[in-house]
Amino acid sequence: ETWVKVHENFSALVEDPTVRAYMVRYEVLASEPEPELRRISDFLGLEFDPAMLRFHEHDLTIYKSSHLSMKQISQPITPTKVGRWKRDLPIEALLQFEAVAGPSLRRFGYEMSSDADRSARNRDHRPRPTGKRPQSSSLAATLRQHLGGFLRR
C-alpha cells in the first residue's frame, strides 16, 4: 500500500499543470542513463555534462561512510538491479504485493508475474503458492525485509 500511495501521489503531482515535477523511472535511468540524464537536465534547465555519467569516479567519501547504497554510488549506473523485486521476493509475497499494487504496477508499465511467461517461473525452482494467503503480519515483515530500501525512497 505504501508503494502504491507514494507512486500514485507523485504521479498526480507530475500530472498537475501547476506543479513542476518529473518522474524518473529507475528502469529507464539504468538502461538509458545518458538520454535520461539529458531529459532530466533539460527539465531542470541545466546543461548536460558527461561527467554526470561518471559520478562514481568522483570522491564521494562524505556519502560512502553512511549512505545506504554506498556500494552502488561507487559504481557506474547499471541495469542489473532492474526487476530485482520480482526475483528476490518469495512467491507468496510477490503475489500478495501484485494483488494490492496491480493496477498501479500496470499503469506505470511494470509487467506482473501473471503477465510474464510462466515457463520462466517454472525454471526458477521457487516453491509454488500453496493457495494459503500469508498472514498480514508475516507478509508485512517479508515486504519490509525485501522492499525496505524501495519503500524508504
Side-chain angles (χ1 to χ4, degrees):
E1 292 172 2
T2 302
W3 185 92
V4 172
K5 192 180 293 185
V6 166
H7 284 76
E8 291 294 342
N9 287 343
F10 191 77
S11 180
L13 281 175
V14 170
E15 294 166 7
D16 183 339
T18 65
V19 176
R20 278 188 40 90
Y22 182 85
M23 177 82 72
V24 177
R25 290 206 40 178
Y26 174 76
E27 296 81 0
V28 175
L29 180 62
S31 63
E32 312 170 358
E34 184 172 337
E36 184 63 4
L37 284 172
R38 287 181 180 279
R39 287 187 286 269
I40 293 167
S41 296
D42 186 53
F43 176 80
L44 295 172
L46 301 172
E47 186 176 328
F48 171 78
D49 183 341
M52 293 175 181
L53 296 166
R54 298 187 311 272
F55 62 91
H56 58 286
E57 296 173 0
H58 299 282
D59 182 12
L60 300 173
T61 308
I62 186 170
Y63 302 109
K64 290 180 186 176
S65 63
S66 62
H67 196 278
L68 292 174
S69 301
M70 64 183 172
K71 224 159 116 177
Q72 286 82 6
I73 65 171
S74 300
Q75 300 169 8
I77 296 172
T78 174
T80 58
K81 303 282 188 202
V82 171
R84 197 179 92 196
W85 61 279
K86 285 196 278 187
R87 293 187 304 269
D88 291 355
L89 276 177
I91 187 66
E92 292 84 3
L94 175 63
L95 293 175
Q96 183 68 24
F97 175 68
E98 289 180 345
V100 171
S104 294
L105 287 167
R106 283 197 173 97
R107 177 173 176 228
F108 295 118
Y110 292 99
E111 185 178 84
M112 293 181 33
S113 60
S114 59
D115 301 335
D117 178 13
R118 293 288 179 185
S119 65
R121 194 167 283 291
N122 291 342
R123 290 189 304 265
D124 194 24
H125 305 297
R126 289 188 196 186
R128 295 188 178 259
T130 61
K132 293 178 5 184
R133 293 179 72 173
Q135 293 183 352
S136 62
S137 61
S138 66
L139 173 63
T142 302
L143 288 173
R144 272 193 302 278
Q145 175 187 357
H146 291 282
L147 294 175
F150 297 108
L151 297 177
R152 284 191 288 272
R153 292 180 186 167

PDB file of all heavy atoms in Angstrom, residues 36-68:
ATOM      1  N   GLU A  36      18.395   9.707 -20.476  1.00  0.00           N
ATOM      2  CA  GLU A  36      17.539  10.089 -19.348  1.00  0.00           C
ATOM      3  C   GLU A  36      18.144  11.259 -18.575  1.00  0.00           C
ATOM      4  O   GLU A  36      17.418  12.183 -18.181  1.00  0.00           O
ATOM      5  CB  GLU A  36      17.277   8.900 -18.427  1.00  0.00           C
ATOM      6  CG  GLU A  36      16.322   9.191 -17.293  1.00  0.00           C
ATOM      7  CD  GLU A  36      14.897   9.570 -17.719  1.00  0.00           C
ATOM      8  OE1 GLU A  36      14.563   9.544 -18.922  1.00  0.00           O
ATOM      9  OE2 GLU A  36      14.100   9.915 -16.827  1.00  0.00           O
ATOM     10  N   LEU A  37      19.446  11.252 -18.372  1.00  0.00           N
ATOM     11  CA  LEU A  37      20.089  12.383 -17.700  1.00  0.00           C
ATOM     12  C   LEU A  37      19.976  13.655 -18.538  1.00  0.00           C
ATOM     13  O   LEU A  37      19.834  14.753 -17.993  1.00  0.00           O
ATOM     14  CB  LEU A  37      21.551  12.072 -17.381  1.00  0.00           C
ATOM     15  CG  LEU A  37      21.767  11.146 -16.197  1.00  0.00           C
ATOM     16  CD1 LEU A  37      23.238  10.746 -16.086  1.00  0.00           C
ATOM     17  CD2 LEU A  37      21.287  11.788 -14.900  1.00  0.00           C
ATOM     18  N   ARG A  38      19.987  13.521 -19.842  1.00  0.00           N
ATOM     19  CA  ARG A  38      19.771  14.692 -20.710  1.00  0.00           C
ATOM     20  C   ARG A  38      18.346  15.230 -20.530  1.00  0.00           C
ATOM     21  O   ARG A  38      18.145  16.444 -20.453  1.00  0.00           O
ATOM     22  CB  ARG A  38      20.042  14.356 -22.175  1.00  0.00           C
ATOM     23  CG  ARG A  38      21.516  14.200 -22.495  1.00  0.00           C
ATOM     24  CD  ARG A  38      21.744  13.897 -23.977  1.00  0.00           C
ATOM     25  NE  ARG A  38      23.152  13.751 -24.264  1.00  0.00           N
ATOM     26  CZ  ARG A  38      23.995  14.761 -24.463  1.00  0.00           C
ATOM     27  NH1 ARG A  38      23.545  15.999 -24.405  1.00  0.00           N
ATOM     28  NH2 ARG A  38      25.272  14.536 -24.712  1.00  0.00           N
ATOM     29  N   ARG A  39      17.368  14.328 -20.447  1.00  0.00           N
ATOM     30  CA  ARG A  39      15.976  14.762 -20.231  1.00  0.00           C
ATOM     31  C   ARG A  39      15.818  15.430 -18.868  1.00  0.00           C
ATOM     32  O   ARG A  39      15.145  16.459 -18.745  1.00  0.00           O
ATOM     33  CB  ARG A  39      15.015  13.574 -20.368  1.00  0.00           C
ATOM     34  CG  ARG A  39      14.822  13.097 -21.802  1.00  0.00           C
ATOM     35  CD  ARG A  39      13.741  12.037 -21.920  1.00  0.00           C
ATOM     36  NE  ARG A  39      14.157  10.752 -21.406  1.00  0.00           N
ATOM     37  CZ  ARG A  39      14.736   9.794 -22.142  1.00  0.00           C
ATOM     38  NH1 ARG A  39      14.976   9.981 -23.421  1.00  0.00           N
ATOM     39  NH2 ARG A  39      15.080   8.648 -21.590  1.00  0.00           N
ATOM     40  N   ILE A  40      16.436  14.869 -17.853  1.00  0.00           N
ATOM     41  CA  ILE A  40      16.370  15.449 -16.508  1.00  0.00           C
ATOM     42  C   ILE A  40      17.044  16.828 -16.513  1.00  0.00           C
ATOM     43  O   ILE A  40      16.492  17.800 -15.973  1.00  0.00           O
ATOM     44  CB  ILE A  40      17.026  14.514 -15.467  1.00  0.00           C
ATOM     45  CG1 ILE A  40      16.212  13.224 -15.322  1.00  0.00           C
ATOM     46  CG2 ILE A  40      17.184  15.219 -14.127  1.00  0.00           C
ATOM     47  CD1 ILE A  40      16.931  12.115 -14.564  1.00  0.00           C
ATOM     48  N   SER A  41      18.224  16.917 -17.125  1.00  0.00           N
ATOM     49  CA  SER A  41      18.931  18.200 -17.197  1.00  0.00           C
ATOM     50  C   SER A  41      18.089  19.235 -17.915  1.00  0.00           C
ATOM     51  O   SER A  41      17.977  20.388 -17.469  1.00  0.00           O
ATOM     52  CB  SER A  41      20.274  18.031 -17.925  1.00  0.00           C
ATOM     53  OG  SER A  41      21.123  17.173 -17.205  1.00  0.00           O
ATOM     54  N   ASP A  42      17.491  18.836 -19.036  1.00  0.00           N
ATOM     55  CA  ASP A  42      16.638  19.749 -19.794  1.00  0.00           C
ATOM     56  C   ASP A  42      15.455  20.211 -18.948  1.00  0.00           C
ATOM     57  O   ASP A  42      15.127  21.397 -18.915  1.00  0.00           O
ATOM     58  CB  ASP A  42      16.153  19.060 -21.073  1.00  0.00           C
ATOM     59  CG  ASP A  42      15.377  19.989 -21.967  1.00  0.00           C
ATOM     60  OD1 ASP A  42      15.900  21.074 -22.296  1.00  0.00           O
ATOM     61  OD2 ASP A  42      14.230  19.637 -22.331  1.00  0.00           O
ATOM     62  N   PHE A  43      14.841  19.277 -18.246  1.00  0.00           N
ATOM     63  CA  PHE A  43      13.714  19.624 -17.376  1.00  0.00           C
ATOM     64  C   PHE A  43      14.133  20.642 -16.316  1.00  0.00           C
ATOM     65  O   PHE A  43      13.403  21.576 -16.002  1.00  0.00           O
ATOM     66  CB  PHE A  43      13.150  18.365 -16.702  1.00  0.00           C
ATOM     67  CG  PHE A  43      12.063  18.650 -15.719  1.00  0.00           C
ATOM     68  CD1 PHE A  43      10.769  18.891 -16.149  1.00  0.00           C
ATOM     69  CD2 PHE A  43      12.341  18.704 -14.365  1.00  0.00           C
ATOM     70  CE1 PHE A  43       9.761  19.183 -15.238  1.00  0.00           C
ATOM     71  CE2 PHE A  43      11.344  18.990 -13.444  1.00  0.00           C
ATOM     72  CZ  PHE A  43      10.046  19.229 -13.886  1.00  0.00           C
ATOM     73  N   LEU A  44      15.326  20.466 -15.773  1.00  0.00           N
ATOM     74  CA  LEU A  44      15.827  21.358 -14.725  1.00  0.00           C
ATOM     75  C   LEU A  44      16.427  22.655 -15.275  1.00  0.00           C
ATOM     76  O   LEU A  44      16.778  23.547 -14.514  1.00  0.00           O
ATOM     77  CB  LEU A  44      16.886  20.637 -13.879  1.00  0.00           C
ATOM     78  CG  LEU A  44      16.387  19.446 -13.068  1.00  0.00           C
ATOM     79  CD1 LEU A  44      17.550  18.704 -12.433  1.00  0.00           C
ATOM     80  CD2 LEU A  44      15.388  19.906 -12.008  1.00  0.00           C
ATOM     81  N   GLY A  45      16.538  22.729 -16.614  1.00  0.00           N
ATOM     82  CA  GLY A  45      17.133  23.921 -17.210  1.00  0.00           C
ATOM     83  C   GLY A  45      18.639  23.955 -17.053  1.00  0.00           C
ATOM     84  O   GLY A  45      19.252  25.028 -17.045  1.00  0.00           O
ATOM     85  N   LEU A  46      19.247  22.792 -16.934  1.00  0.00           N
ATOM     86  CA  LEU A  46      20.691  22.686 -16.773  1.00  0.00           C
ATOM     87  C   LEU A  46      21.314  22.115 -18.037  1.00  0.00           C
ATOM     88  O   LEU A  46      20.680  21.356 -18.766  1.00  0.00           O
ATOM     89  CB  LEU A  46      21.043  21.764 -15.601  1.00  0.00           C
ATOM     90  CG  LEU A  46      20.505  22.153 -14.233  1.00  0.00           C
ATOM     91  CD1 LEU A  46      20.771  21.042 -13.228  1.00  0.00           C
ATOM     92  CD2 LEU A  46      21.129  23.465 -13.777  1.00  0.00           C
ATOM     93  N   GLU A  47      22.565  22.460 -18.245  1.00  0.00           N
ATOM     94  CA  GLU A  47      23.287  21.883 -19.371  1.00  0.00           C
ATOM     95  C   GLU A  47      23.753  20.482 -18.980  1.00  0.00           C
ATOM     96  O   GLU A  47      24.285  20.281 -17.881  1.00  0.00           O
ATOM     97  CB  GLU A  47      24.488  22.764 -19.725  1.00  0.00           C
ATOM     98  CG  GLU A  47      25.202  22.309 -20.967  1.00  0.00           C
ATOM     99  CD  GLU A  47      26.322  23.266 -21.352  1.00  0.00           C
ATOM    100  OE1 GLU A  47      26.195  24.475 -21.107  1.00  0.00           O
ATOM    101  OE2 GLU A  47      27.324  22.761 -21.885  1.00  0.00           O
ATOM    102  N   PHE A  48      23.554  19.524 -19.859  1.00  0.00           N
ATOM    103  CA  PHE A  48      24.034  18.172 -19.595  1.00  0.00           C
ATOM    104  C   PHE A  48      25.560  18.181 -19.588  1.00  0.00           C
ATOM    105  O   PHE A  48      26.196  18.793 -20.431  1.00  0.00           O
ATOM    106  CB  PHE A  48      23.523  17.193 -20.661  1.00  0.00           C
ATOM    107  CG  PHE A  48      24.151  15.834 -20.558  1.00  0.00           C
ATOM    108  CD1 PHE A  48      23.733  14.939 -19.589  1.00  0.00           C
ATOM    109  CD2 PHE A  48      25.177  15.461 -21.405  1.00  0.00           C
ATOM    110  CE1 PHE A  48      24.320  13.686 -19.474  1.00  0.00           C
ATOM    111  CE2 PHE A  48      25.776  14.215 -21.305  1.00  0.00           C
ATOM    112  CZ  PHE A  48      25.338  13.327 -20.336  1.00  0.00           C
ATOM    113  N   ASP A  49      26.135  17.494 -18.633  1.00  0.00           N
ATOM    114  CA  ASP A  49      27.583  17.361 -18.538  1.00  0.00           C
ATOM    115  C   ASP A  49      27.896  15.867 -18.525  1.00  0.00           C
ATOM    116  O   ASP A  49      27.391  15.127 -17.667  1.00  0.00           O
ATOM    117  CB  ASP A  49      28.080  18.012 -17.248  1.00  0.00           C
ATOM    118  CG  ASP A  49      29.591  17.985 -17.111  1.00  0.00           C
ATOM    119  OD1 ASP A  49      30.262  17.171 -17.789  1.00  0.00           O
ATOM    120  OD2 ASP A  49      30.111  18.785 -16.315  1.00  0.00           O
ATOM    121  N   PRO A  50      28.710  15.375 -19.461  1.00  0.00           N
ATOM    122  CA  PRO A  50      29.051  13.951 -19.486  1.00  0.00           C
ATOM    123  C   PRO A  50      29.618  13.437 -18.163  1.00  0.00           C
ATOM    124  O   PRO A  50      29.550  12.245 -17.873  1.00  0.00           O
ATOM    125  CB  PRO A  50      30.081  13.835 -20.617  1.00  0.00           C
ATOM    126  CG  PRO A  50      29.798  15.006 -21.494  1.00  0.00           C
ATOM    127  CD  PRO A  50      29.317  16.100 -20.584  1.00  0.00           C
ATOM    128  N   ALA A  51      30.154  14.334 -17.349  1.00  0.00           N
ATOM    129  CA  ALA A  51      30.689  13.918 -16.042  1.00  0.00           C
ATOM    130  C   ALA A  51      29.574  13.356 -15.154  1.00  0.00           C
ATOM    131  O   ALA A  51      29.850  12.606 -14.215  1.00  0.00           O
ATOM    132  CB  ALA A  51      31.365  15.098 -15.350  1.00  0.00           C
ATOM    133  N   MET A  52      28.328  13.699 -15.472  1.00  0.00           N
ATOM    134  CA  MET A  52      27.203  13.146 -14.703  1.00  0.00           C
ATOM    135  C   MET A  52      27.182  11.625 -14.793  1.00  0.00           C
ATOM    136  O   MET A  52      26.750  10.949 -13.862  1.00  0.00           O
ATOM    137  CB  MET A  52      25.873  13.700 -15.225  1.00  0.00           C
ATOM    138  CG  MET A  52      25.667  15.157 -15.001  1.00  0.00           C
ATOM    139  SD  MET A  52      24.121  15.651 -15.816  1.00  0.00           S
ATOM    140  CE  MET A  52      24.101  17.391 -15.454  1.00  0.00           C
ATOM    141  N   LEU A  53      27.648  11.097 -15.904  1.00  0.00           N
ATOM    142  CA  LEU A  53      27.674   9.648 -16.093  1.00  0.00           C
ATOM    143  C   LEU A  53      28.844   9.001 -15.357  1.00  0.00           C
ATOM    144  O   LEU A  53      28.875   7.789 -15.186  1.00  0.00           O
ATOM    145  CB  LEU A  53      27.763   9.313 -17.587  1.00  0.00           C
ATOM    146  CG  LEU A  53      26.574   9.738 -18.419  1.00  0.00           C
ATOM    147  CD1 LEU A  53      26.903   9.667 -19.898  1.00  0.00           C
ATOM    148  CD2 LEU A  53      25.362   8.883 -18.087  1.00  0.00           C
ATOM    149  N   ARG A  54      29.785   9.830 -14.930  1.00  0.00           N
ATOM    150  CA  ARG A  54      30.992   9.318 -14.269  1.00  0.00           C
ATOM    151  C   ARG A  54      31.022   9.703 -12.790  1.00  0.00           C
ATOM    152  O   ARG A  54      32.095   9.869 -12.204  1.00  0.00           O
ATOM    153  CB  ARG A  54      32.231   9.843 -14.998  1.00  0.00           C
ATOM    154  CG  ARG A  54      32.329   9.375 -16.452  1.00  0.00           C
ATOM    155  CD  ARG A  54      33.655   9.765 -17.106  1.00  0.00           C
ATOM    156  NE  ARG A  54      34.009  11.167 -16.931  1.00  0.00           N
ATOM    157  CZ  ARG A  54      33.629  12.174 -17.738  1.00  0.00           C
ATOM    158  NH1 ARG A  54      32.884  11.924 -18.782  1.00  0.00           N
ATOM    159  NH2 ARG A  54      34.013  13.419 -17.486  1.00  0.00           N
ATOM    160  N   PHE A  55      29.861   9.799 -12.186  1.00  0.00           N
ATOM    161  CA  PHE A  55      29.763  10.186 -10.770  1.00  0.00           C
ATOM    162  C   PHE A  55      30.599   9.269  -9.886  1.00  0.00           C
ATOM    163  O   PHE A  55      31.155   9.686  -8.885  1.00  0.00           O
ATOM    164  CB  PHE A  55      28.307  10.170 -10.292  1.00  0.00           C
ATOM    165  CG  PHE A  55      27.697   8.801 -10.368  1.00  0.00           C
ATOM    166  CD1 PHE A  55      27.759   7.937  -9.288  1.00  0.00           C
ATOM    167  CD2 PHE A  55      27.083   8.365 -11.525  1.00  0.00           C
ATOM    168  CE1 PHE A  55      27.226   6.667  -9.358  1.00  0.00           C
ATOM    169  CE2 PHE A  55      26.538   7.095 -11.605  1.00  0.00           C
ATOM    170  CZ  PHE A  55      26.614   6.246 -10.523  1.00  0.00           C
ATOM    171  N   HIS A  56      30.688   8.010 -10.273  1.00  0.00           N
ATOM    172  CA  HIS A  56      31.405   7.011  -9.479  1.00  0.00           C
ATOM    173  C   HIS A  56      32.918   7.239  -9.464  1.00  0.00           C
ATOM    174  O   HIS A  56      33.614   6.672  -8.630  1.00  0.00           O
ATOM    175  CB  HIS A  56      31.098   5.607 -10.011  1.00  0.00           C
ATOM    176  CG  HIS A  56      31.469   5.435 -11.446  1.00  0.00           C
ATOM    177  ND1 HIS A  56      30.735   5.983 -12.471  1.00  0.00           N
ATOM    178  CD2 HIS A  56      32.519   4.817 -12.029  1.00  0.00           C
ATOM    179  CE1 HIS A  56      31.297   5.695 -13.617  1.00  0.00           C
ATOM    180  NE2 HIS A  56      32.386   4.991 -13.383  1.00  0.00           N
ATOM    181  N   GLU A  57      33.422   8.093 -10.368  1.00  0.00           N
ATOM    182  CA  GLU A  57      34.848   8.391 -10.415  1.00  0.00           C
ATOM    183  C   GLU A  57      35.225   9.532  -9.468  1.00  0.00           C
ATOM    184  O   GLU A  57      36.396   9.802  -9.259  1.00  0.00           O
ATOM    185  CB  GLU A  57      35.264   8.753 -11.839  1.00  0.00           C
ATOM    186  CG  GLU A  57      35.094   7.608 -12.823  1.00  0.00           C
ATOM    187  CD  GLU A  57      35.341   8.033 -14.264  1.00  0.00           C
ATOM    188  OE1 GLU A  57      35.644   9.222 -14.514  1.00  0.00           O
ATOM    189  OE2 GLU A  57      35.220   7.167 -15.142  1.00  0.00           O
ATOM    190  N   HIS A  58      34.235  10.192  -8.917  1.00  0.00           N
ATOM    191  CA  HIS A  58      34.484  11.334  -8.040  1.00  0.00           C
ATOM    192  C   HIS A  58      34.607  10.871  -6.585  1.00  0.00           C
ATOM    193  O   HIS A  58      34.090   9.825  -6.203  1.00  0.00           O
ATOM    194  CB  HIS A  58      33.352  12.361  -8.171  1.00  0.00           C
ATOM    195  CG  HIS A  58      33.224  12.892  -9.557  1.00  0.00           C
ATOM    196  ND1 HIS A  58      34.053  13.849 -10.070  1.00  0.00           N
ATOM    197  CD2 HIS A  58      32.370  12.575 -10.557  1.00  0.00           C
ATOM    198  CE1 HIS A  58      33.721  14.112 -11.317  1.00  0.00           C
ATOM    199  NE2 HIS A  58      32.696  13.346 -11.642  1.00  0.00           N
ATOM    200  N   ASP A  59      35.284  11.676  -5.796  1.00  0.00           N
ATOM    201  CA  ASP A  59      35.433  11.370  -4.381  1.00  0.00           C
ATOM    202  C   ASP A  59      34.116  11.664  -3.666  1.00  0.00           C
ATOM    203  O   ASP A  59      33.747  12.821  -3.486  1.00  0.00           O
ATOM    204  CB  ASP A  59      36.565  12.202  -3.773  1.00  0.00           C
ATOM    205  CG  ASP A  59      36.776  11.883  -2.304  1.00  0.00           C
ATOM    206  OD1 ASP A  59      36.222  10.871  -1.812  1.00  0.00           O
ATOM    207  OD2 ASP A  59      37.493  12.652  -1.649  1.00  0.00           O
ATOM    208  N   LEU A  60      33.420  10.634  -3.309  1.00  0.00           N
ATOM    209  CA  LEU A  60      32.136  10.764  -2.619  1.00  0.00           C
ATOM    210  C   LEU A  60      32.257  10.282  -1.175  1.00  0.00           C
ATOM    211  O   LEU A  60      31.316   9.760  -0.599  1.00  0.00           O
ATOM    212  CB  LEU A  60      31.052   9.968  -3.364  1.00  0.00           C
ATOM    213  CG  LEU A  60      30.804  10.398  -4.810  1.00  0.00           C
ATOM    214  CD1 LEU A  60      29.850   9.436  -5.502  1.00  0.00           C
ATOM    215  CD2 LEU A  60      30.270  11.813  -4.876  1.00  0.00           C
ATOM    216  N   THR A  61      33.431  10.454  -0.607  1.00  0.00           N
ATOM    217  CA  THR A  61      33.729   9.976   0.743  1.00  0.00           C
ATOM    218  C   THR A  61      32.663  10.400   1.746  1.00  0.00           C
ATOM    219  O   THR A  61      32.280   9.625   2.614  1.00  0.00           O
ATOM    220  CB  THR A  61      35.106  10.483   1.208  1.00  0.00           C
ATOM    221  OG1 THR A  61      36.054  10.148   0.209  1.00  0.00           O
ATOM    222  CG2 THR A  61      35.492   9.851   2.524  1.00  0.00           C
ATOM    223  N   ILE A  62      32.162  11.609   1.604  1.00  0.00           N
ATOM    224  CA  ILE A  62      31.156  12.103   2.539  1.00  0.00           C
ATOM    225  C   ILE A  62      29.925  11.195   2.557  1.00  0.00           C
ATOM    226  O   ILE A  62      29.267  11.020   3.564  1.00  0.00           O
ATOM    227  CB  ILE A  62      30.772  13.563   2.219  1.00  0.00           C
ATOM    228  CG1 ILE A  62      29.844  14.115   3.285  1.00  0.00           C
ATOM    229  CG2 ILE A  62      30.148  13.667   0.854  1.00  0.00           C
ATOM    230  CD1 ILE A  62      29.611  15.616   3.160  1.00  0.00           C
ATOM    231  N   TYR A  63      29.613  10.579   1.429  1.00  0.00           N
ATOM    232  CA  TYR A  63      28.436   9.711   1.336  1.00  0.00           C
ATOM    233  C   TYR A  63      28.772   8.254   1.603  1.00  0.00           C
ATOM    234  O   TYR A  63      27.943   7.507   2.097  1.00  0.00           O
ATOM    235  CB  TYR A  63      27.804   9.819  -0.050  1.00  0.00           C
ATOM    236  CG  TYR A  63      27.401  11.218  -0.402  1.00  0.00           C
ATOM    237  CD1 TYR A  63      28.093  11.933  -1.360  1.00  0.00           C
ATOM    238  CD2 TYR A  63      26.332  11.830   0.246  1.00  0.00           C
ATOM    239  CE1 TYR A  63      27.724  13.231  -1.675  1.00  0.00           C
ATOM    240  CE2 TYR A  63      25.956  13.122  -0.063  1.00  0.00           C
ATOM    241  CZ  TYR A  63      26.667  13.815  -1.022  1.00  0.00           C
ATOM    242  OH  TYR A  63      26.303  15.082  -1.326  1.00  0.00           O
ATOM    243  N   LYS A  64      29.948   7.831   1.244  1.00  0.00           N
ATOM    244  CA  LYS A  64      30.303   6.416   1.316  1.00  0.00           C
ATOM    245  C   LYS A  64      30.215   5.830   2.712  1.00  0.00           C
ATOM    246  O   LYS A  64      29.846   4.687   2.867  1.00  0.00           O
ATOM    247  CB  LYS A  64      31.702   6.197   0.756  1.00  0.00           C
ATOM    248  CG  LYS A  64      31.792   6.387  -0.729  1.00  0.00           C
ATOM    249  CD  LYS A  64      33.205   6.160  -1.210  1.00  0.00           C
ATOM    250  CE  LYS A  64      33.335   6.484  -2.674  1.00  0.00           C
ATOM    251  NZ  LYS A  64      34.704   6.379  -3.154  1.00  0.00           N
ATOM    252  N   SER A  65      30.550   6.602   3.721  1.00  0.00           N
ATOM    253  CA  SER A  65      30.621   6.026   5.059  1.00  0.00           C
ATOM    254  C   SER A  65      29.257   5.709   5.654  1.00  0.00           C
ATOM    255  O   SER A  65      29.120   4.784   6.431  1.00  0.00           O
ATOM    256  CB  SER A  65      31.397   6.957   5.994  1.00  0.00           C
ATOM    257  OG  SER A  65      30.709   8.184   6.106  1.00  0.00           O
ATOM    258  N   SER A  66      28.227   6.453   5.274  1.00  0.00           N
ATOM    259  CA  SER A  66      26.938   6.217   5.924  1.00  0.00           C
ATOM    260  C   SER A  66      25.782   6.016   4.958  1.00  0.00           C
ATOM    261  O   SER A  66      24.674   5.762   5.373  1.00  0.00           O
ATOM    262  CB  SER A  66      26.608   7.397   6.843  1.00  0.00           C
ATOM    263  OG  SER A  66      26.498   8.578   6.076  1.00  0.00           O
ATOM    264  N   HIS A  67      26.030   6.114   3.690  1.00  0.00           N
ATOM    265  CA  HIS A  67      24.956   6.012   2.707  1.00  0.00           C
ATOM    266  C   HIS A  67      24.477   4.568   2.578  1.00  0.00           C
ATOM    267  O   HIS A  67      25.288   3.642   2.554  1.00  0.00           O
ATOM    268  CB  HIS A  67      25.456   6.532   1.351  1.00  0.00           C
ATOM    269  CG  HIS A  67      24.360   6.819   0.390  1.00  0.00           C
ATOM    270  ND1 HIS A  67      23.768   5.850  -0.360  1.00  0.00           N
ATOM    271  CD2 HIS A  67      23.740   7.970   0.083  1.00  0.00           C
ATOM    272  CE1 HIS A  67      22.832   6.383  -1.110  1.00  0.00           C
ATOM    273  NE2 HIS A  67      22.800   7.682  -0.861  1.00  0.00           N
ATOM    274  N   LEU A  68      23.160   4.383   2.507  1.00  0.00           N
ATOM    275  CA  LEU A  68      22.602   3.033   2.385  1.00  0.00           C
ATOM    276  C   LEU A  68      23.073   2.322   1.127  1.00  0.00           C
ATOM    277  O   LEU A  68      23.187   1.114   1.089  1.00  0.00           O
ATOM    278  CB  LEU A  68      21.066   3.099   2.383  1.00  0.00           C
ATOM    279  CG  LEU A  68      20.415   3.528   3.682  1.00  0.00           C
ATOM    280  CD1 LEU A  68      18.910   3.697   3.488  1.00  0.00           C
ATOM    281  CD2 LEU A  68      20.683   2.522   4.775  1.00  0.00           C
TER     282      LEU A  68
END
